[in-house]
Every structure is written in structure tokens, then in C-alpha cells.
Amino acid sequence: MDNITHSFVGLGVGELVQRSLPAETDPARQRTRHRLLLTACAAASNFPDLDLFLTHLLPAPLGYLLHHRGHTHTLLYALPQALLLLALLWALWPNARRLLRDSAPARLGLGLAIVLGFGLHLSMDFLNSYGVHPFYPFDPRWFYGDMVFIVEPVFWIAFGVPLALAIPLRWLRGIALGGLAAFVLGATWRGYLDWRSLLALFIIGGAIAALRVTRRHSRRSLALAAAVAIGFIAVQGAASTLGRQRITAALQAIDPAARVLDVAMTAYPAQPLCWSFVSIESNEAAGQYRLRRGLLSLAPGLMPPTSCPGGFADPTASDVPAPGIALAPAWQGDLALLRALAQSDCHVNAWLRYARMPAVTSAVASDLRYAATPRGNFTTLPIESSRTPCANVPRWGYPRADLLGAALR
């Protein structure tokens, strides 16, 4: 997910840990612990994204695709990262160092903040369709949550409101709350949220704010924020599963000879009813595979696909094979060409360690999950006859091993 979301959730969980521990013996030590736990949890919630500095190890776009969400996003490599963060806090923060020597609650809180921060980063990155491979090197497969949009305003509001209300300066508190309101209003104005989602966000924010105002030093508002986030994820997970089942059934009805291998679900922000998707089917007998992009509404009577927020609409999705499903024209691929390039071109082979929805021709390879991004498809790899040798390629599992088959051997 984006780093602002990681920061909001990290700060909120750090504040929840702080309020759950017994207070320190004097106000100065309590302030130091408060700052330490929030800093540690927010830093741990962002630390794995330092792998962006490794993207130069491979030529574009491979460097970003294979080294972002790479080794730093695995459980094994979370341990040295946590120790490094702990060492930095110890070395650079004298007041925190003195506090940690004397206070068992501070040591417990710091341990919880760091462990929860790294756990939050990996689990939140799992929630969308980009994917993670947290169990590498023991299991190199990618895992995809397909539940939550990469910038999710539910998390911003749920954790941002109690954090903003905790700011002691009234004018700064007003700016923070105004910024949150401007964010959701701007997203609605630009067509990324609908009015139902906007209303729900204001209700959530109002309920959390009311609890925070009436219980100023309580952890209840933050506990409610966490409950809202967990409940939202559960709803999104159920909606994603139902949506995938409906899409698979519709595609199988269109072409019974093809096998649906996967459906990548991308949620609309704060809207469990609306989804975009990319599917992949194979037909071994015909020597072809097919990619489809489309839109889905889980309640077409209430909200047909055309009424979902326009900021994510696909203007080419017009064919309606089933209620609530709109499809763009299909992309047809050649299985023999795909498998030949996987064997003969090490750059394409490396790219296939990332690509979940590979549209590969003799000239270019693109992952169709990102075909509709505003700045173009960042996964696009030109197929060139002359290349430098491949090096520094991580050994992630091939998302489409089911399509490549013997070509990988």
C-alpha cells in the first residue's frame, strides 16, 4: 500500500500500544515513551520499502518489478531490519536509551511497536492485487489478497481522525482534520469515490471523533479504528471471493473449452460493490491463452457497473455477458511464443517472475493488471534481440507457472 496509509496505521497502532501500557513514573519519561513508540511503529511500518534503493540492480522495468516488495518484504529478512531499526533508535536517541534501561513497560512497548509495525507492512501489502512472497526462500510463491485498493481512505479516516484529535495545538488539529476532509472530498470530486462511500467515511470519522472527545485519554477510539479496519478487510475479502466466483462462472459460460486460471481483483476505494478485474484463461488444444479486462458490480440492481466511480472506469468495457459484469475486448496470446521466450530470453524469463497477467508478443511484454494506470503501464518490457546478460535476478516463483509448464524446466 502507499506509504501514507502505512504511516497512518503504524502511528495509530503505536498510539494504541502506548495507551495500553502502564504510565511511566514521571511526565518527561512518559512523553519520551510516547514519542518512541509512535516513531518505532511508524518507521517499522515503512521500513521494508527501503528496497526501492535496490531497483537499480536490474534495468528498467525489471529492477522495480523484482526488487520492490522483494527481500525486505519477507518474514526471514524482517528480523535483521528490526534489529537495525532498534540499533538506530538506541544509538541516536539518548533519552530513549536511558528510558529503555530503566523501564520494563517501555521495553515491552518498543518490542510490540516494532513487531507490529513490520507485521502490518507485510500484511497490508498482501491485501491488494500486487502481491507479496513473505515465505521466501522456503516458499517462493506470490500471494495476492485482491481485497483492498492500494490507497484506501477507510484506513486514512479510521486512524487519521483519532491521531489528529490527539494533537495538542488546536490550530494544528484543525489543519489535520481539514486535510482529511479535503482528501475524501477531492477524491469524490475527481471520480474516485461515490457519494455513498463519502457519507460512510464521514459517519465512521464522526463516530470515532465522538468517542475520542468523550474519552480523551482512552484507547477506545483507537480500538474502534482498528475494529473498523479489520471489519472492512473482512467485508472486502468476502466481496472479492464472491466477485471472483461470478466472473469465473461467466467466463466459463462464454467459452467452455477454455480454463480460467486466475482472476485478479482490484477494489474500488471504500466501495465493496464495485471492482475492476483482469482474468486469464488457457486453451491448450488451440495453443492460445486469453486475457480479459472488465468491471464488476456485486449489486447491479442498485449500482450497475456504469454507475461505479468514473475515475476507475474502463471505457472499452461494454460487452455484458452476465448481470453486473462488463467486459473489454479480449486479448489473445500465443502459448508457443510465450513459452519460447521464457526459455530463450533471460530478461523475459526474469519478467515472468513478476507478471501475473502477461500479455506477451514478439515485440513487447506487459502485465495487463496495470493497462489502465494514468501514467501508462510501468511493467512494459520491450523484447529486444540484443541484450546484456541477466544478473541479480531474485528467484521468486513464477505467478503463471500454470501457463508456462514445461518451459520452466
Side-chain angles (χ1 to χ4, degrees):
M1 304 199 76
D2 72 289
N3 291 101
I4 296 178
T5 303
H6 281 306
S7 298
F8 271 130
V9 177
L11 288 169
V13 171
E15 183 74 30
L16 183 58
V17 171
Q18 159 71 7
R19 295 186 188 186
S20 300
L21 295 171
E24 299 296 328
T25 54
D26 71 69
R29 288 161 61 93
Q30 180 73 356
R31 285 193 298 272
T32 297
R33 192 184 81 183
H34 188 192
R35 294 167 184 163
L36 174 64
L37 298 194
L38 265 66
T39 300
C41 201
S45 293
N46 286 280
F47 215 84
D49 281 340
L50 291 175
D51 61 9
L52 289 169
F53 290 106
L54 303 177
T55 57
H56 69 280
L57 294 175
L58 283 167
L62 295 177
Y64 182 85
L65 301 182
L66 295 176
H67 284 294
H68 179 46
R69 295 206 188 181
H71 292 92
T72 60
H73 287 69
T74 64
L75 293 171
L76 180 64
Y77 285 88
L79 179 58
Q81 291 179 85
L83 293 175
L84 175 59
L85 177 56
L86 182 60
L88 290 172
L89 293 170
W90 181 270
L92 302 177
W93 200 332
N95 286 346
R97 188 164 61 243
R98 286 190 290 269
L99 173 66
L100 292 169
R101 285 195 184 108
D102 299 335
S103 171
R107 292 192 294 270
L108 174 61
L110 179 59
L112 287 172
I114 290 177
V115 170
L116 289 171
F118 280 101
L120 284 167
H121 190 105
L122 297 184
S123 58
M124 290 176 68
D125 277 357
F126 161 75
L127 293 176
N128 51 56
S129 62
Y130 192 107
V132 288
H133 33 71
F135 307 116
Y136 181 86
F138 311 105
D139 184 346
R141 289 178 299 165
W142 290 82
F143 293 88
Y144 308 96
D146 288 2
M147 301 180 201
V148 176
F149 190 66
I150 194 167
V151 181
E152 182 44 68
V154 169
F155 296 154
W156 286 44
I157 296 299
F159 289 100
V161 167
L163 288 169
L165 290 172
I167 297 173
L169 297 176
R170 180 177 295 181
W171 65 271
L172 191 55
R173 188 162 65 239
I175 289 175
L177 291 171
L180 288 171
F183 166 68
V184 294
L185 288 169
T188 305
W189 177 69
R190 297 190 64 181
Y192 299 122
L193 291 171
D194 67 359
W195 66 267
R196 302 172 187 84
S197 300
L198 179 65
L199 178 60
L201 289 170
F202 275 111
I203 291 173
I204 290 169
I208 293 172
L211 195 57
R212 174 67 176 82
V213 169
T214 57
R215 300 271 185 170
R216 185 168 181 79
H217 298 291
S218 170
R219 60 186 178 186
R220 291 186 181 180
S221 62
L222 288 162
L224 177 58
V228 166
I230 293 170
F232 176 71
I233 292 169
V235 169
Q236 291 291 110
S240 177
T241 300
L242 177 60
R244 182 178 289 106
Q245 291 171 349
R246 291 187 183 180
I247 294 163
T248 301
L251 297 179
Q252 211 66 73
I254 294 172
D255 185 1
R259 182 166 64 100
V260 179
L261 300 177
D262 192 11
V263 180
M265 304 288 292
T266 298
Y268 277 54
Q271 179 49 269
L273 298 180
C274 290
W275 299 77
S276 61
F277 65 89
V278 182
S279 64
I280 185 164
E281 307 160 68
S282 71
N283 189 329
E284 286 285 344
Q288 292 182 330
Y289 70 102
R290 181 188 299 120
L291 294 163
R292 299 182 189 267
R293 293 165 47 214
L295 303 174
L296 166 73
S297 170
L298 290 174
L302 175 66
M303 179 179 282
T306 53
S307 70
C308 289
F312 299 103
D314 185 343
T316 65
S318 57
D319 182 33
V320 182
I325 298 176
L327 291 178
W331 185 95
Q332 297 282 353
D334 185 327
L335 279 173
L337 174 64
L338 175 69
R339 291 166 180 171
L341 286 171
Q343 288 183 314
S344 63
D345 190 321
C346 67
H347 290 81
V348 175
N349 187 285
W351 182 84
L352 287 167
R353 292 184 182 275
Y354 170 83
R356 185 181 178 187
M357 297 291 165
V360 179
T361 69
S362 58
V364 70
S366 293
D367 189 320
L368 285 197
R369 283 178 292 174
Y370 309 104
T373 53
R375 297 183 181 180
N377 194 329
F378 64 89
T379 69
T380 299
L381 175 76
I383 309 297
E384 301 173 2
S385 58
S386 176
R387 293 185 188 268
T388 57
C390 294
N392 301 316
V393 177
R395 312 302 287 181
W396 317 136
Y398 297 91
R400 291 276 66 88
D402 51 5
L403 198 65
L404 296 171
L408 300 182
R409 297 191 291 272

